[in-house]
């Protein structure tokens, strides 16, 4: 449930229309979602082995630090704070704003609504882990209900049918391959989040067993869930209708139950996006806290509240940065801003498995989950990450430039904090 909860947020409710704008037949729409699930499955296999090798807190931060150098881990934490985590939260908050406006008819901007949601949840999580987790649990139950209602009612009452059309609708060409690659960007965003379960490895009773199993089983569950949702969207709306609506889930429920159905599913989706935001606000600041405790960030970020035990400064910093991105970026811009940098870190983390295997040599360590098909599947995952990064930069160079610049800026920032740590130690 931790793995699935980290994946299922707003992407599956919104990104089907973005994907349908790039590929236009039922076969291609469902095919690219299945391909995205296969890519996430490869990642889950790799992270499962990394988790059994290094079952401590910090997840990717820990893997990168031990495989390469503390500077690589710091750059990951740096872009997590300034790009990937905050950008993902901003995109989800903008999705909440879309559905909130549909429900209420409120005339305010998406940015203002998203900012209110982010700052409100930030304040709640500053009250402590128990308060934040209680809110998260309630929102998660509502999210599950919204997804189940959409799939079941859409199939039963939504009407329509899956059109019999040519599989790809056009000759195979460079343009078609480019469209498929572009469609993978929102899909990669929707499947992202399985890696966040590794942040809490140190708090599991048996992380070597439970985290590896949870990663594999959780991703399989999400693949089945996402294919079901997209099948319903294609059946009820058709490829053209799906591409024409920015709120596909509401459109499906409107076809099934009329305006009342659309309103109910919009409420459920809005609540589910809040649940995803709450989960990110609750978990990710642990990485920034760890960076500060390592002497690589402001000391105040590494302090816990005496009253609530929460890393309040780390939570507030993340919330403010996500709010700024949500106010000044569009949904599609945020996707490209976040995905290109996120998949660079995925590629480096997956490649760390080659480093650990080489260090291991012929001595097979006991209790280690072994990635199926390594080194071929690991190399395929790294290559796929590189293709997604390249496609995003190629199609949206201006949107990704800032994210890449922030990534590179982490190098001099690390040098500054490293020298400062050495002086403090001396």
């Amino acid at each position: 449930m931790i793995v699935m909860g980290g994946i299922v947020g707003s992407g599956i409710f919104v990104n089907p229309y973005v994907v349908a704008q790039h590929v236009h037949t039922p076969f291609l729409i469902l095919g690219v979602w299945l391909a995205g699930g296969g890519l996430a499955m490869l990642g889950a296999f790799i992270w499962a082995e990394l988790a059994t090798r290094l079952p401590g807190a910090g997840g990717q931060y820990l893997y990168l630090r031990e495989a390469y150098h503390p500077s690589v881990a710091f750059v990951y934490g740096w872009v997590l704070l300034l790009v990937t985590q905050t950008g993902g939260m901003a995109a989800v908050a903008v999705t909440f704003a879309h559905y909130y406006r549909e429900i209420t008819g409120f005339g305010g901007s998406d940015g203002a609504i998203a900012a209110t949601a982010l700052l409100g949840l930030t304040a709640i999580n500053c009250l402590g882990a128990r308060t934040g987790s209680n809110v998260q649990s309630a929102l998660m139950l509502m999210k599950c209900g919204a997804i189940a209602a959409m799939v079941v009612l859409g199939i039963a009452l939504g009407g329509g049918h899956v059109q019999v059309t040519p599989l790809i609708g056009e000759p195979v060409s460079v343009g078609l391959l480019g469209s498929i690659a572009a469609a993978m960007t929102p899909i990669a965003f929707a499947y992202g989040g399985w890696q966040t379960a590794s942040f809490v490895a140190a708090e599991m009773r048996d992380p070597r067993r439970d985290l590896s199993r949870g990663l594999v089983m959780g991703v399989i569950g999400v693949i089945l869930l996402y294919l079901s949702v997209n099948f319903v969207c294609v059946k009820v709306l058709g490829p053209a209708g799906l591409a024409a609506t920015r709120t596909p889930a509401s459109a499906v429920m409107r076809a099934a139950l009329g305006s009342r159905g659309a309103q109910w599913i919009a409420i459920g989706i809005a609540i589910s996006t809040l649940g995803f935001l709450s989960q990110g606000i609750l978990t990710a600041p642990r990485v920034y806290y760890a960076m500060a405790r390592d002497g690589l960030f402001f000391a105040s970020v590494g302090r816990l509240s005496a009253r609530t035990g929460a890393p309040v400064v780390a939570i507030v910093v993340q919330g403010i940065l996500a709010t700024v991105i949500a106010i000044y970026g569009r949904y599609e811009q945020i996707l490209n801003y976040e995905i290109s940098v996120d998949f660079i870190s995925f590629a480096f983390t997956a490649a760390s498995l080659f480093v650990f295997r080489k260090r291991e040599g012929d001595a097979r360590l006991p209790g280690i989950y072994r990635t199926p098909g390594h080194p071929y599947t690991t190399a395929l995952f790294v290559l796929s990450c590189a293709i997604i990064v390249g496609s995003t930069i190629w199609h949206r160079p201006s949107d990704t430039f800032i994210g890449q610049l922030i990534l590179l800026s982490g190098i001099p920032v690390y040098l500054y904090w490293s020298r400062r740590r050495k002086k403090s130690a001396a």
Side-chain angles (χ1 to χ4, degrees), residues 361-383:
D362 295 330
R364 294 173 67 92
L365 301 177
I368 300 297
Y369 174 90
R370 314 295 291 191
T371 299
H374 179 86
Y376 306 106
T377 53
T378 304
L380 178 60
F381 181 83
V382 173
L383 178 61

Side-chain angles (χ1 to χ4, degrees), residues 94-265:
V94 171
T95 300
F96 166 76
H98 289 166
Y99 282 96
Y100 181 83
R101 294 179 65 182
E102 180 175 329
I103 296 165
T104 64
F106 182 69
S109 67
D110 286 347
I113 298 171
T116 302
L118 285 166
L119 294 177
L121 288 171
T122 296
I124 289 172
N125 280 277
C126 286
L127 298 177
R130 181 175 296 276
T131 301
S133 63
N134 287 341
V135 172
Q136 167 65 19
S137 296
L139 295 173
M140 183 67 183
L141 290 173
M142 296 179 189
K143 179 198 306 186
C144 292
I147 295 172
M150 177 184 172
V151 173
V152 174
L153 294 176
I155 291 175
L157 304 175
H161 62 279
V162 178
Q163 301 172 358
V164 179
T165 62
L167 294 181
I168 59 177
E170 60 182 280
V172 177
S173 63
V174 175
L176 176 61
L177 295 178
S179 296
I180 292 174
M184 289 299 294
T185 296
I187 290 173
F189 176 80
Y191 274 110
W194 39 267
Q195 74 284 355
T196 60
S198 63
F199 294 162
V200 297
E203 299 172 53
M204 295 182 180
R205 292 192 180 97
D206 189 353
R208 291 182 184 274
R209 181 196 66 188
D210 297 337
L211 184 52
S212 59
R213 291 180 180 179
L215 281 164
V216 175
M217 294 169 60
V219 172
I220 291 174
V222 172
I223 292 172
L224 296 175
L225 179 68
Y226 280 11
L227 288 177
S228 299
V229 171
N230 277 275
F231 175 81
V232 170
C233 289
V234 171
K235 175 181 179 293
V236 176
L237 304 176
L242 178 57
T245 177
R246 299 189 67 184
T247 54
S250 294
V252 168
M253 291 300 293
R254 185 178 292 107
L257 297 177
S259 59
R260 182 177 294 275
Q263 185 177 28
W264 279 110
I265 193 64

Side-chain angles (χ1 to χ4, degrees), residues 278-351:
S278 178
Q279 189 258 12
I281 292 172
L282 180 66
T283 59
R286 299 179 185 191
V287 175
Y288 324 135
Y289 168 81
M291 291 168 59
R293 299 293 292 180
D294 286 345
L296 296 176
F297 209 44
F298 295 105
S300 59
V301 177
R303 295 172 186 159
L304 300 177
S305 168
R307 185 172 64 87
T308 66
V312 172
V313 176
I315 293 172
V316 170
V317 168
Q318 176 182 260
I320 292 174
L321 289 174
T323 299
V324 171
I325 297 173
I327 290 175
Y328 290 103
R330 299 195 313 270
Y331 181 78
E332 292 80 2
Q333 284 180 320
I334 294 171
L335 281 179
N336 297 312
Y337 179 74
E338 188 262 347
I339 285 295
S340 64
V341 178
D342 209 11
F343 272 78
I344 289 174
S345 70
F346 284 169
F348 273 91
T349 305

Side-chain angles (χ1 to χ4, degrees), residues 26-38:
F27 174 80
L28 285 178
I29 291 172
L30 295 176
V32 292
W33 278 97
L34 182 60

